[in-house]
Amino acid sequence: MATETIDQYELLIDGELVPAASNDTLKTLNPATEDPIGDVAAGDAEDIDRAVESASDAFPAWRDTPPQERGRVLTAIADAIRKNADRLARIETQDNGKPLSQATTDVEDCARYFEYYAGIADKIHGDSIPLTTEYVDYTLREPLGVTGQIIPWNFPISLVGRTIAPALAAGNVAVAKPAEQTPLTALEVGKLALDAGLPPGVLNVVPGFGAEAGAALASHPAVNGVSFTGSVVTGQQVAKMAVDNVTPVHLELGGKSPNVVFPDADFETAIDNTITAIFGTAAGQVCSAGSRLLVHEEIHSEFVDALTTRATELSVGPGMEDHDVGPLVSADQYDKVRKYLDIGRDEAGEPVAGGEAPERSGYFIEPTIFDHVDNDMRIAQEEIFGPVLSVIEFSDEQEALELANDVDYGLVAGIFTSDVGRAHRFARDVRAGQVYINEWFAGGVETPFGGYKQSGFGREKGLEAIRSYTQLKNVCANIDV
Ligand code: NAI
Ligand code: MG
């Protein structure tokens, strides 16, 4: 597919589109064609400085804007995103590779985040605490100040909404650093937000490389809160940089989430959701993918046969043609997943589905299933972040739980069973931040999301995100003087 045009994109700082101080640019590609689609200003520490300064200047007025007015601005941003949904989805698909229908869903998610947190802006309040009669004591929930959002490439526009809307609703200002592979929609949303009435400097968008713009943001002494989504290794580095300034960090890292299927489950429901969980969105490049299937020995063969049939039927191709599975985001990610296909073959033998990278341009990998995997193999323990499923057999509930928990990650977990007690025992005992019962990827902007163990800490989405973006002050007054 021919590339349409190579667009020029600048940084968004203080309400202006500006080149990087260094004049450097980066090229973003369409992963379906490997062709460049945009020349994007590549920010570094100097640009992050400018953006943080602009945000700091904008903070007092935005913090003191009546909350209902902040809510109205966020509603206007949601409306603007919806009005531009088709264009934004096409940009997202070309920049990230994901199928157009998935990009359309992500754009709507972004609008939903702004809408949801718009409604919360005037409902963020503290408590009064009864002491003795000579005191009045109350709490105030206050914004952090300048917040930094380091955003990955797998859900670029959706994560703009998820990380920025609650920050702004709570009266914070923001400097967002989108991933170098997919910077376009963050800039587009930034521009729409300005047009929708967001004051200059309240949201700055500074694309650039992680080691430059990202590190400068994480280590900036005037940044008062950092939200990071990405790999464990980079998350650890970001947290170390932030802690030098005693800046609170919220880390949303990877996963190797167990999807547990019992013989009493509704078979078709379990099959449909297992396919969705690993192949159904962003070609498996999802932190909450169901990448580890634990299936009971009684139904193991029948289940894997049905899965194999379904996986083989999925169409793989360019996102703009809206296939079931698009390309991976980048050459790096493609190489990483191909390396895991080799590791998987060494550890578990030939995959029962897929296992190949089609011979053509674009970072495509077939939906792949490795059967007869042991939980201590690398393909059972490490995040592959692609369309690769590892299947592990178990014989009873206790073993299923042990296998589910025997991993460094703890982002989400799923169980398919018709036994209500078993489902809730699993939900109680599994070490994960979100549990799906007879469903995968349930929940939307309203449901708190974040990890146990190495999957991170802090919660995004829902009302919980407001806690991540505020700090609590207690005021204690003696009224008897
Ligand atoms: P990464 O964690 O390095 O990148 C994520 C974001 O962090 C990007 O915006 C990047 O520019 C920024 N970054 C990179 N180095 C930085 C630094 N030193 N300081 C501050 N910011 C920095 O992830 P990468 O390399 O793109 O992908 C590698 C693996 O990470 C994937 O294969 C996957 O396993 C995992 N990953 C997990 C994601 C999730 O949703 N939890 C999202 C993206 C990647
Ligand atoms: Mg790109």
Side-chain angles (χ1 to χ4, degrees):
M1 197 182 62
T3 299
E4 294 181 4
T5 46
I6 300 189
D7 288 327
Q8 311 291 318
Y9 281 83
E10 296 184 299
L11 314 176
L12 179 60
I13 297 179
D14 205 29
E16 305 283 341
L17 293 169
V18 292
S22 65
N23 263 320
D24 284 352
T25 58
L26 58 84
K27 279 202 192 319
T28 184
L29 307 180
N30 178 345
T33 60
E34 305 177 39
D35 290 332
I37 55 167
D39 264 325
V40 184
D44 63 13
E46 203 176 330
D47 303 295
I48 291 290
D49 265 346
R50 288 195 287 165
V52 170
E53 196 183 319
S54 156
S56 301
D57 291 347
F59 176 56
W62 181 246
R63 175 196 59 203
D64 296 340
T65 298
Q68 67 270 30
E69 181 54 30
R70 288 204 302 268
R72 275 185 212 118
V73 175
L74 296 200
T75 301
I77 297 172
D79 291 346
I81 292 167
R82 288 207 174 96
K83 278 201 192 87
N84 286 274
D86 289 347
R87 192 174 64 82
L88 291 168
R90 290 172 64 84
I91 295 171
E92 189 81 323
T93 286
Q94 293 187 61
D95 203 7
N96 164 281
K98 66 176 62 188
L100 196 54
S101 53
Q102 294 178 21
T104 302
T105 301
D106 292 356
V107 172
E108 170 56 21
D109 283 350
C110 182
R112 259 303 276 153
Y113 282 115
F114 280 96
E115 182 176 68
Y116 176 83
Y117 290 106
I120 289 172
D122 59 359
K123 298 166 194 72
I124 301 169
H125 47 65
D127 295 315
S128 66
I129 297 165
L131 300 177
T132 56
T133 51
E134 68 255 60
Y135 289 105
V136 170
D137 189 288
Y138 57 93
T139 59
L140 295 170
R141 200 161 268 288
E142 299 186 334
L144 299 173
V146 179
T147 59
Q149 289 78 14
I150 300 176
I151 296 172
W153 40 260
N154 54 341
F155 287 85
I157 194 168
S158 170
L159 285 179
V160 164
R162 183 166 110 188
T163 60
I164 290 167
L168 302 189
N172 299 282
V173 290
V175 177
K177 207 299 282 175
E180 53 270 36
Q181 299 85 349
T182 57
L184 302 186
T185 48
L187 287 165
E188 294 287 349
V189 172
K191 287 188 273 181
L192 289 173
L194 263 184
D195 293 345
L198 193 71
V202 173
L203 169 59
N204 302 276
V205 183
V206 185
F209 293 100
E212 293 162 12
L217 186 58
S219 60
H220 202 292
V223 169
N224 309 112
V226 173
S227 154
F228 172 83
T229 306
S231 63
V232 175
V233 171
T234 306
Q236 288 167 330
Q237 289 170 0
V238 163
K240 283 176 189 157
M241 290 186 263
V243 85
D244 280 344
N245 299 311
V246 199
T247 300
V249 191
H250 163 212
L251 298 180
E252 205 269 86
L253 309 177
K256 193 73 184 182
S257 298
N259 169 15
V260 185
V261 181
F262 283 88
D264 62 1
D266 182 84
F267 193 87
E268 286 309 315
T269 301
I271 290 285
D272 284 350
N273 281 279
T274 299
I275 292 287
T276 302
I278 185 66
F279 305 126
T281 180
Q285 302 166 111
V286 191
C287 51
S288 51
S291 51
R292 220 160 35 106
L293 172 65
L294 310 182
V295 60
H296 192 276
E297 59 190 10
E298 221 174 281
I299 53 164
H300 168 262
S301 319
E302 190 193 351
F303 200 80
V304 172
D305 284 351
L307 273 186
T308 302
T309 305
R310 288 283 298 277
T312 315
E313 284 166 4
L314 296 172
S315 69
V316 180
M320 293 302 280
E321 294 171 15
D322 206 28
H323 289 269
D324 297 318
V325 180
L328 302 186
V329 74
S330 64
D332 283 351
Q333 196 57 29
Y334 177 75
D335 291 344
K336 175 180 170 184
V337 174
R338 287 184 51 161
K339 190 187 85 187
Y340 276 104
L341 295 180
D342 293 341
I343 294 169
R345 283 189 167 91
D346 282 351
E347 290 182 324
E350 204 44 37
V352 294
E356 301 300 329
E359 286 293 323
R360 62 171 138 149
S361 65
Y363 309 124
F364 297 98
I365 303 260
E366 292 174 349
T368 299
I369 301 174
F370 286 104
D371 195 9
H372 303 297
V373 174
D374 285 334
N375 199 51
D376 55 6
M377 291 177 180
R378 289 183 64 187
I379 58 166
Q381 291 290 321
E382 297 174 17
E383 182 174 61
I384 298 174
F385 228 59
V388 183
L389 179 67
S390 299
V391 184
I392 300 161
E393 205 176 293
F394 70 87
S395 48
D396 60 34
E397 186 180 324
Q398 185 56 31
E399 188 190 5
L401 179 69
E402 283 169 16
L403 289 167
N405 282 333
D406 183 13
V407 69
D408 287 338
Y409 294 105
L411 191 55
V412 307
I415 183 168
F416 291 84
T417 178
S418 54
D419 180 334
V420 174
R422 170 148 64 204
H424 289 286
R425 281 193 297 277
F426 178 79
R428 180 192 62 201
D429 294 335
V430 74
R431 304 273 299 145
Q434 185 171 42
V435 182
Y436 306 127
I437 298 174
N438 293 323
E439 166 68 74
W440 199 278
F441 294 136
V445 310
E446 308 86 349
T447 47
F449 183 75
Y452 279 36
K453 303 198 278 185
Q454 293 208 6
S455 293
F457 49 77
R459 293 293 177 269
E460 284 182 330
K461 303 171 61 168
L463 292 174
E464 286 293 327
I466 295 297
R467 289 184 206 277
S468 307
Y469 276 115
T470 51
Q471 52 196 339
L472 200 71
K473 178 184 283 174
N474 181 261
V475 180
C476 190
N478 181 343
I479 57 170
D480 256 6
V481 282

